[in-house]
Amino acid sequence: QQQVKQSPQSLIVQKGGISIINCAYENTAFDYFPWYQQFPGKGPALLIAIRPDVSEKKEGRFTISFNKSAKQFSLHIMDSQPGDSATYFCAASPSGGYQKVTFGTGTKLQVIP
Amino acid sequence: GAGVSQSPSNKVTEKGKDVELRCDPISGHTALYWYRQSLGQGLEFLIYFQGNSAPDKSGLPSDRFSAERTGGSVSTLTIQRTQQEDSAVYLCASRTGVGTEAFFGQGTRLTVV
């Protein structure tokens, strides 16, 4: 059962442009929403995370927008750079004793000069 | 250790052989996860440990797959009678608790020939 849906599967953006990746979830028990960045040959690494008590979180050029009622969240990369080219995964996990982290299917971002 | 360590980094095995993959989580991290990432695909959840117990084994693809964790630390993922479809990168992650960052290892690239 796919509990976190991610789109698009791949994305090509011009240098300096805005990259937008969207995710939607089903499980209302989720209350922690991280985004991971993965470079080839490496494990995923946390980029930025948000909890549902805020609608937006910004760290540098990376912003998460969160819509609790729609059960959607998105990653915006402002002023995209070639070094941002990587695969991005959204994820979600619930509070409480059960800590399974469910990942989206990933978005391969390519930023072209 | 400084991070999550997985060994071996690469493993080539013949179809039908058994393999063991090892994960050393970050010291003190109580939760440990195994994921599988096939070429160009997302992160497929396999199993989750809280301490030495596994509350969720639902992601293990078949009874050829098993995992254990001892001393609340090291975990091994065992694949018996390997098949070509088992070829993938096996990722291990650990975290301290609810709503915290999951740290990933570099993964073990398994190739079944």
Side-chain angles (χ1 to χ4, degrees), chain B residues 54-112:
Chain B
D56 190 347
K57 306 178 183 179
S58 63
L60 295 177
S62 73
D63 58 8
R64 296 186 296 104
F65 287 73
S66 63
E68 66 175 10
R69 189 179 184 193
T70 56
S73 181
V74 173
S75 175
T76 55
L77 176 69
T78 301
I79 308 173
Q80 296 178 309
R81 304 180 303 281
T82 52
Q83 303 294 312
Q84 288 185 330
E85 61 262 28
D86 299 334
S87 296
V89 175
Y90 290 82
L91 289 160
C92 174
S94 69
R95 69 199 292 210
T96 56
V98 174
T100 62
E101 177 180 357
F103 292 84
F104 281 84
Q106 300 253 57
T108 293
R109 180 175 296 279
L110 175 67
T111 304
V112 182

Short mmCIF file of all heavy atoms in Angstrom, two decimals, chain B residues 54-112:
data_model
loop_
_atom_site.label_atom_id
_atom_site.label_comp_id
_atom_site.label_asym_id
_atom_site.label_seq_id
_atom_site.Cartn_x
_atom_site.Cartn_y
_atom_site.Cartn_z
N ALA B 54 11.42 -6.71 16.61
CA ALA B 54 11.00 -6.21 15.30
C ALA B 54 9.48 -6.10 15.25
O ALA B 54 8.81 -7.08 14.91
CB ALA B 54 11.51 -7.14 14.20
N PRO B 55 8.95 -4.91 15.58
CA PRO B 55 7.48 -4.76 15.58
C PRO B 55 6.86 -4.91 14.20
O PRO B 55 5.67 -5.18 14.09
CB PRO B 55 7.27 -3.34 16.10
CG PRO B 55 8.56 -2.94 16.72
CD PRO B 55 9.62 -3.68 16.00
N ASP B 56 7.67 -4.67 13.17
CA ASP B 56 7.11 -4.69 11.82
C ASP B 56 8.07 -5.38 10.87
O ASP B 56 9.13 -4.86 10.56
CB ASP B 56 6.81 -3.27 11.35
CG ASP B 56 6.00 -3.23 10.06
OD1 ASP B 56 5.87 -4.29 9.40
OD2 ASP B 56 5.51 -2.16 9.71
N LYS B 57 7.66 -6.58 10.43
CA LYS B 57 8.45 -7.33 9.45
C LYS B 57 7.71 -7.40 8.13
O LYS B 57 8.06 -8.18 7.25
CB LYS B 57 8.70 -8.76 9.93
CG LYS B 57 9.33 -8.87 11.30
CD LYS B 57 9.47 -10.34 11.69
CE LYS B 57 10.03 -10.49 13.09
NZ LYS B 57 10.17 -11.90 13.49
N SER B 58 6.69 -6.58 8.00
CA SER B 58 5.75 -6.73 6.89
C SER B 58 6.38 -6.51 5.53
O SER B 58 5.86 -6.96 4.52
CB SER B 58 4.58 -5.76 7.06
OG SER B 58 5.03 -4.41 7.01
N GLY B 59 7.52 -5.83 5.49
CA GLY B 59 8.14 -5.53 4.21
C GLY B 59 9.06 -6.63 3.68
O GLY B 59 9.50 -6.55 2.52
N LEU B 60 9.35 -7.61 4.47
CA LEU B 60 10.22 -8.69 3.99
C LEU B 60 9.54 -9.40 2.83
O LEU B 60 8.42 -9.89 2.97
CB LEU B 60 10.55 -9.67 5.11
CG LEU B 60 11.36 -9.09 6.27
CD1 LEU B 60 11.56 -10.14 7.36
CD2 LEU B 60 12.71 -8.56 5.79
N PRO B 61 10.20 -9.48 1.66
CA PRO B 61 9.53 -9.96 0.45
C PRO B 61 9.13 -11.43 0.48
O PRO B 61 8.15 -11.81 -0.17
CB PRO B 61 10.57 -9.72 -0.66
CG PRO B 61 11.59 -8.81 -0.08
CD PRO B 61 11.58 -9.02 1.38
N SER B 62 9.90 -12.23 1.19
CA SER B 62 9.59 -13.67 1.24
C SER B 62 10.26 -14.26 2.46
O SER B 62 11.01 -13.59 3.18
CB SER B 62 10.11 -14.36 -0.03
OG SER B 62 11.53 -14.46 0.00
N ASP B 63 9.99 -15.54 2.69
CA ASP B 63 10.59 -16.19 3.86
C ASP B 63 12.08 -16.48 3.66
O ASP B 63 12.74 -16.99 4.56
CB ASP B 63 9.84 -17.48 4.22
CG ASP B 63 9.79 -18.48 3.10
OD1 ASP B 63 10.48 -18.25 2.07
OD2 ASP B 63 9.09 -19.47 3.21
N ARG B 64 12.61 -16.11 2.49
CA ARG B 64 14.07 -16.24 2.30
C ARG B 64 14.80 -15.10 3.01
O ARG B 64 16.01 -15.17 3.20
CB ARG B 64 14.42 -16.22 0.80
CG ARG B 64 13.87 -17.38 0.01
CD ARG B 64 14.38 -17.38 -1.43
NE ARG B 64 13.93 -16.22 -2.19
CZ ARG B 64 14.69 -15.17 -2.49
NH1 ARG B 64 15.96 -15.13 -2.11
NH2 ARG B 64 14.21 -14.17 -3.19
N PHE B 65 14.05 -14.08 3.37
CA PHE B 65 14.64 -12.90 4.02
C PHE B 65 14.39 -12.96 5.52
O PHE B 65 13.27 -13.23 5.97
CB PHE B 65 14.00 -11.61 3.48
CG PHE B 65 14.41 -11.23 2.09
CD1 PHE B 65 13.94 -11.95 1.00
CD2 PHE B 65 15.27 -10.16 1.87
CE1 PHE B 65 14.32 -11.60 -0.29
CE2 PHE B 65 15.65 -9.80 0.59
CZ PHE B 65 15.17 -10.53 -0.49
N SER B 66 15.43 -12.69 6.29
CA SER B 66 15.28 -12.61 7.73
C SER B 66 16.27 -11.58 8.26
O SER B 66 17.25 -11.24 7.59
CB SER B 66 15.51 -13.96 8.40
OG SER B 66 16.85 -14.39 8.17
N ALA B 67 16.01 -11.08 9.45
CA ALA B 67 16.92 -10.11 10.05
C ALA B 67 16.89 -10.27 11.55
O ALA B 67 15.88 -10.70 12.12
CB ALA B 67 16.53 -8.68 9.66
N GLU B 68 17.99 -9.93 12.15
CA GLU B 68 18.05 -9.93 13.60
C GLU B 68 18.89 -8.76 14.07
O GLU B 68 19.69 -8.19 13.31
CB GLU B 68 18.61 -11.25 14.14
CG GLU B 68 20.06 -11.52 13.78
CD GLU B 68 20.58 -12.78 14.44
OE1 GLU B 68 19.79 -13.54 15.01
OE2 GLU B 68 21.81 -12.99 14.39
N ARG B 69 18.68 -8.43 15.32
CA ARG B 69 19.46 -7.36 15.94
C ARG B 69 19.81 -7.82 17.34
O ARG B 69 18.96 -8.32 18.09
CB ARG B 69 18.65 -6.07 16.01
CG ARG B 69 19.50 -4.86 16.45
CD ARG B 69 18.67 -3.60 16.49
NE ARG B 69 19.51 -2.44 16.81
CZ ARG B 69 19.03 -1.25 17.15
NH1 ARG B 69 17.71 -1.06 17.23
NH2 ARG B 69 19.84 -0.26 17.41
N THR B 70 21.07 -7.68 17.69
CA THR B 70 21.54 -8.14 18.99
C THR B 70 22.12 -7.00 19.80
O THR B 70 22.75 -6.08 19.24
CB THR B 70 22.61 -9.24 18.82
OG1 THR B 70 23.67 -8.73 18.00
CG2 THR B 70 22.02 -10.47 18.15
N GLY B 71 21.88 -7.05 21.11
CA GLY B 71 22.44 -6.04 22.01
C GLY B 71 21.94 -4.64 21.71
O GLY B 71 22.58 -3.66 22.11
N GLY B 72 20.82 -4.54 21.02
CA GLY B 72 20.29 -3.23 20.67
C GLY B 72 21.20 -2.46 19.75
O GLY B 72 21.08 -1.23 19.63
N SER B 73 22.10 -3.17 19.07
CA SER B 73 23.06 -2.47 18.23
C SER B 73 23.11 -3.09 16.84
O SER B 73 22.21 -2.84 16.04
CB SER B 73 24.44 -2.50 18.90
OG SER B 73 25.39 -1.81 18.13
N VAL B 74 24.09 -3.93 16.59
CA VAL B 74 24.34 -4.47 15.24
C VAL B 74 23.15 -5.27 14.74
O VAL B 74 22.52 -6.03 15.50
CB VAL B 74 25.61 -5.34 15.25
CG1 VAL B 74 25.79 -6.04 13.92
CG2 VAL B 74 26.83 -4.49 15.58
N SER B 75 22.87 -5.11 13.46
CA SER B 75 21.82 -5.90 12.82
C SER B 75 22.38 -6.60 11.60
O SER B 75 23.27 -6.07 10.92
CB SER B 75 20.66 -4.99 12.41
OG SER B 75 19.67 -5.72 11.70
N THR B 76 21.88 -7.80 11.35
CA THR B 76 22.24 -8.51 10.13
C THR B 76 20.97 -8.85 9.36
O THR B 76 19.97 -9.27 9.95
CB THR B 76 23.02 -9.79 10.41
OG1 THR B 76 22.27 -10.61 11.30
CG2 THR B 76 24.37 -9.49 11.01
N LEU B 77 21.04 -8.66 8.08
CA LEU B 77 19.96 -9.04 7.16
C LEU B 77 20.48 -10.23 6.37
O LEU B 77 21.54 -10.15 5.75
CB LEU B 77 19.61 -7.89 6.22
CG LEU B 77 18.56 -8.16 5.14
CD1 LEU B 77 17.18 -8.35 5.77
CD2 LEU B 77 18.52 -7.02 4.13
N THR B 78 19.75 -11.33 6.44
CA THR B 78 20.16 -12.56 5.77
C THR B 78 19.21 -12.87 4.63
O THR B 78 17.99 -12.82 4.82
CB THR B 78 20.20 -13.74 6.74
OG1 THR B 78 21.12 -13.44 7.81
CG2 THR B 78 20.66 -15.01 6.05
N ILE B 79 19.76 -13.15 3.49
CA ILE B 79 18.97 -13.57 2.34
C ILE B 79 19.43 -14.98 1.98
O ILE B 79 20.60 -15.20 1.65
CB ILE B 79 19.14 -12.63 1.13
CG1 ILE B 79 18.90 -11.18 1.54
CG2 ILE B 79 18.15 -13.03 0.02
CD1 ILE B 79 19.21 -10.18 0.44
N GLN B 80 18.51 -15.91 2.06
CA GLN B 80 18.83 -17.30 1.73
C GLN B 80 18.46 -17.59 0.28
O GLN B 80 17.53 -17.01 -0.28
CB GLN B 80 18.06 -18.25 2.66
CG GLN B 80 18.46 -18.12 4.12
CD GLN B 80 17.64 -19.05 5.01
OE1 GLN B 80 16.41 -19.06 4.94
NE2 GLN B 80 18.32 -19.81 5.84
N ARG B 81 19.23 -18.49 -0.31
CA ARG B 81 18.93 -18.96 -1.68
C ARG B 81 18.66 -17.75 -2.59
O ARG B 81 17.60 -17.62 -3.19
CB ARG B 81 17.74 -19.92 -1.67
CG ARG B 81 17.95 -21.10 -0.73
CD ARG B 81 16.74 -22.05 -0.76
NE ARG B 81 15.48 -21.41 -0.42
CZ ARG B 81 15.07 -21.12 0.79
NH1 ARG B 81 15.84 -21.38 1.84
NH2 ARG B 81 13.89 -20.54 0.99
N THR B 82 19.65 -16.89 -2.69
CA THR B 82 19.46 -15.63 -3.42
C THR B 82 18.99 -15.85 -4.85
O THR B 82 19.37 -16.84 -5.51
CB THR B 82 20.76 -14.81 -3.44
OG1 THR B 82 21.84 -15.64 -3.91
CG2 THR B 82 21.09 -14.25 -2.07
N GLN B 83 18.18 -14.93 -5.30
CA GLN B 83 17.65 -14.92 -6.66
C GLN B 83 18.10 -13.63 -7.35
O GLN B 83 18.45 -12.64 -6.69
CB GLN B 83 16.13 -14.99 -6.63
CG GLN B 83 15.57 -16.19 -5.89
CD GLN B 83 15.91 -17.50 -6.59
OE1 GLN B 83 15.73 -17.64 -7.79
NE2 GLN B 83 16.43 -18.46 -5.82
N GLN B 84 18.05 -13.61 -8.66
CA GLN B 84 18.50 -12.43 -9.40
C GLN B 84 17.66 -11.21 -9.05
O GLN B 84 18.18 -10.08 -9.02
CB GLN B 84 18.49 -12.69 -10.90
CG GLN B 84 19.61 -13.63 -11.34
CD GLN B 84 19.68 -13.79 -12.84
OE1 GLN B 84 18.68 -13.71 -13.53
NE2 GLN B 84 20.89 -14.05 -13.33
N GLU B 85 16.40 -11.41 -8.73
CA GLU B 85 15.55 -10.26 -8.40
C GLU B 85 15.90 -9.65 -7.03
O GLU B 85 15.36 -8.60 -6.68
CB GLU B 85 14.06 -10.64 -8.42
CG GLU B 85 13.67 -11.71 -7.45
CD GLU B 85 13.60 -13.09 -8.09
OE1 GLU B 85 14.33 -13.31 -9.08
OE2 GLU B 85 12.82 -13.91 -7.61
N ASP B 86 16.79 -10.33 -6.29
CA ASP B 86 17.23 -9.76 -5.02
C ASP B 86 18.31 -8.69 -5.22
O ASP B 86 18.67 -7.98 -4.28
CB ASP B 86 17.80 -10.85 -4.11
CG ASP B 86 16.79 -11.92 -3.77
OD1 ASP B 86 15.57 -11.63 -3.79
OD2 ASP B 86 17.21 -13.06 -3.49
N SER B 87 18.83 -8.59 -6.43
CA SER B 87 19.86 -7.59 -6.72
C SER B 87 19.30 -6.20 -6.48
O SER B 87 18.27 -5.81 -7.03
CB SER B 87 20.33 -7.72 -8.17
OG SER B 87 20.96 -8.97 -8.40
N ALA B 88 19.99 -5.44 -5.63
CA ALA B 88 19.54 -4.11 -5.24
C ALA B 88 20.57 -3.52 -4.28
O ALA B 88 21.54 -4.18 -3.91
CB ALA B 88 18.18 -4.17 -4.56
N VAL B 89 20.32 -2.28 -3.89
CA VAL B 89 21.10 -1.68 -2.81
C VAL B 89 20.28 -1.80 -1.53
O VAL B 89 19.11 -1.41 -1.48
CB VAL B 89 21.42 -0.20 -3.09
CG1 VAL B 89 22.13 0.43 -1.88
CG2 VAL B 89 22.29 -0.07 -4.34
N TYR B 90 20.89 -2.37 -0.52
CA TYR B 90 20.21 -2.55 0.77
C TYR B 90 20.73 -1.47 1.72
O TYR B 90 21.92 -1.39 2.01
CB TYR B 90 20.46 -3.96 1.30
CG TYR B 90 19.71 -4.99 0.48
CD1 TYR B 90 20.25 -5.46 -0.71
CD2 TYR B 90 18.45 -5.45 0.87
CE1 TYR B 90 19.55 -6.36 -1.50
CE2 TYR B 90 17.75 -6.35 0.10
CZ TYR B 90 18.30 -6.80 -1.09
OH TYR B 90 17.60 -7.70 -1.87
N LEU B 91 19.81 -0.64 2.17
CA LEU B 91 20.15 0.50 3.02
C LEU B 91 19.69 0.27 4.44
O LEU B 91 18.59 -0.25 4.68
CB LEU B 91 19.48 1.77 2.48
CG LEU B 91 20.03 2.33 1.17
CD1 LEU B 91 19.02 3.24 0.52
CD2 LEU B 91 21.33 3.06 1.42
N CYS B 92 20.50 0.67 5.36
CA CYS B 92 20.18 0.60 6.78
C CYS B 92 20.13 2.03 7.32
O CYS B 92 20.91 2.89 6.88
CB CYS B 92 21.24 -0.21 7.51
SG CYS B 92 21.08 -0.24 9.31
N ALA B 93 19.22 2.30 8.21
CA ALA B 93 19.12 3.62 8.84
C ALA B 93 18.85 3.44 10.32
O ALA B 93 18.28 2.43 10.75
CB ALA B 93 18.01 4.44 8.19
N SER B 94 19.25 4.42 11.11
CA SER B 94 18.94 4.39 12.54
C SER B 94 18.51 5.78 13.00
O SER B 94 18.84 6.79 12.36
CB SER B 94 20.14 3.89 13.36
OG SER B 94 21.21 4.84 13.37
N ARG B 95 17.76 5.80 14.08
CA ARG B 95 17.33 7.08 14.64
C ARG B 95 17.14 6.90 16.14
O ARG B 95 16.97 5.79 16.64
CB ARG B 95 16.05 7.58 13.97
CG ARG B 95 14.82 6.76 14.26
CD ARG B 95 13.69 6.96 13.26
NE ARG B 95 13.06 8.25 13.27
CZ ARG B 95 11.79 8.46 12.94
NH1 ARG B 95 11.01 7.45 12.64
NH2 ARG B 95 11.29 9.68 12.92
N THR B 96 17.12 8.04 16.87
CA THR B 96 17.06 7.95 18.32
C THR B 96 15.63 7.71 18.81
O THR B 96 15.43 7.06 19.81
CB THR B 96 17.58 9.24 18.96
OG1 THR B 96 16.82 10.35 18.43
CG2 THR B 96 19.03 9.45 18.67
N GLY B 97 14.66 8.28 18.13
CA GLY B 97 13.30 8.13 18.61
C GLY B 97 12.30 8.78 17.69
O GLY B 97 12.60 9.12 16.55
N VAL B 98 11.11 8.96 18.21
CA VAL B 98 10.00 9.47 17.43
C VAL B 98 10.30 10.86 16.89
O VAL B 98 10.79 11.72 17.61
CB VAL B 98 8.73 9.52 18.30
CG1 VAL B 98 7.59 10.20 17.56
CG2 VAL B 98 8.33 8.13 18.73
N GLY B 99 10.01 11.06 15.63
CA GLY B 99 10.13 12.39 15.03
C GLY B 99 11.53 12.93 14.98
O GLY B 99 11.75 14.14 15.01
N THR B 100 12.48 12.05 14.87
CA THR B 100 13.87 12.49 14.76
C THR B 100 14.44 12.03 13.43
O THR B 100 13.90 11.14 12.77
CB THR B 100 14.73 11.94 15.89
OG1 THR B 100 14.73 10.50 15.83
CG2 THR B 100 14.18 12.37 17.25
N GLU B 101 15.57 12.62 13.09
CA GLU B 101 16.19 12.31 11.81
C GLU B 101 16.65 10.87 11.76
O GLU B 101 17.23 10.34 12.70
CB GLU B 101 17.40 13.23 11.60
CG GLU B 101 18.19 12.95 10.32
CD GLU B 101 19.35 13.88 10.15
OE1 GLU B 101 19.54 14.78 10.99
OE2 GLU B 101 20.11 13.71 9.17
N ALA B 102 16.38 10.23 10.64
CA ALA B 102 16.92 8.90 10.37
C ALA B 102 18.21 9.07 9.60
O ALA B 102 18.25 9.75 8.58
CB ALA B 102 15.92 8.06 9.59
N PHE B 103 19.29 8.47 10.09
CA PHE B 103 20.58 8.55 9.44
C PHE B 103 20.81 7.26 8.66
O PHE B 103 20.67 6.16 9.21
CB PHE B 103 21.70 8.73 10.48
CG PHE B 103 21.68 10.06 11.17
CD1 PHE B 103 20.86 10.27 12.27
CD2 PHE B 103 22.47 11.11 10.72
CE1 PHE B 103 20.82 11.51 12.92
CE2 PHE B 103 22.45 12.34 11.37
CZ PHE B 103 21.63 12.54 12.46
N PHE B 104 21.18 7.40 7.41
CA PHE B 104 21.38 6.25 6.55
C PHE B 104 22.86 5.90 6.41
O PHE B 104 23.72 6.78 6.41
CB PHE B 104 20.82 6.52 5.15
CG PHE B 104 19.33 6.37 5.05
CD1 PHE B 104 18.49 7.41 5.39
CD2 PHE B 104 18.77 5.18 4.61
CE1 PHE B 104 17.13 7.29 5.31
CE2 PHE B 104 17.40 5.05 4.52
CZ PHE B 104 16.57 6.10 4.86
N GLY B 105 23.11 4.63 6.23
CA GLY B 105 24.42 4.18 5.81
C GLY B 105 24.55 4.34 4.31
O GLY B 105 23.62 4.76 3.62
N GLN B 106 25.72 3.96 3.80
CA GLN B 106 25.97 4.09 2.36
C GLN B 106 25.33 2.97 1.56
O GLN B 106 25.23 3.06 0.34
CB GLN B 106 27.49 4.08 2.10
CG GLN B 106 28.23 5.18 2.79
CD GLN B 106 28.69 6.25 1.82
OE1 GLN B 106 27.89 6.83 1.11
NE2 GLN B 106 29.98 6.51 1.81
N GLY B 107 24.93 1.93 2.26
CA GLY B 107 24.27 0.83 1.57
C GLY B 107 25.22 -0.29 1.18
O GLY B 107 26.43 -0.12 1.11
N THR B 108 24.64 -1.44 0.95
CA THR B 108 25.35 -2.60 0.38
C THR B 108 24.73 -2.88 -0.97
O THR B 108 23.53 -3.13 -1.06
CB THR B 108 25.21 -3.85 1.27
OG1 THR B 108 25.91 -3.64 2.50
CG2 THR B 108 25.81 -5.06 0.56
N ARG B 109 25.57 -2.83 -2.00
CA ARG B 109 25.08 -3.13 -3.34
C ARG B 109 25.23 -4.64 -3.56
O ARG B 109 26.34 -5.16 -3.59
CB ARG B 109 25.86 -2.38 -4.41
CG ARG B 109 25.38 -2.66 -5.83
CD ARG B 109 26.09 -1.80 -6.85
NE ARG B 109 25.81 -0.38 -6.65
CZ ARG B 109 24.73 0.22 -7.09
NH1 ARG B 109 23.80 -0.44 -7.76
NH2 ARG B 109 24.55 1.51 -6.87
N LEU B 110 24.10 -5.32 -3.65
CA LEU B 110 24.09 -6.77 -3.85
C LEU B 110 23.79 -7.09 -5.30
O LEU B 110 22.80 -6.61 -5.86
CB LEU B 110 23.04 -7.42 -2.94
CG LEU B 110 22.83 -8.92 -3.13
CD1 LEU B 110 24.07 -9.69 -2.70
CD2 LEU B 110 21.61 -9.41 -2.36
N THR B 111 24.65 -7.90 -5.89
CA THR B 111 24.44 -8.36 -7.25
C THR B 111 24.42 -9.88 -7.24
O THR B 111 25.37 -10.52 -6.78
CB THR B 111 25.56 -7.87 -8.19
OG1 THR B 111 25.65 -6.44 -8.12
CG2 THR B 111 25.28 -8.29 -9.62
N VAL B 112 23.32 -10.43 -7.72
CA VAL B 112 23.17 -11.88 -7.80
C VAL B 112 23.34 -12.29 -9.26
O VAL B 112 22.59 -11.84 -10.12
CB VAL B 112 21.81 -12.33 -7.26
CG1 VAL B 112 21.70 -13.86 -7.31
CG2 VAL B 112 21.61 -11.83 -5.84
#
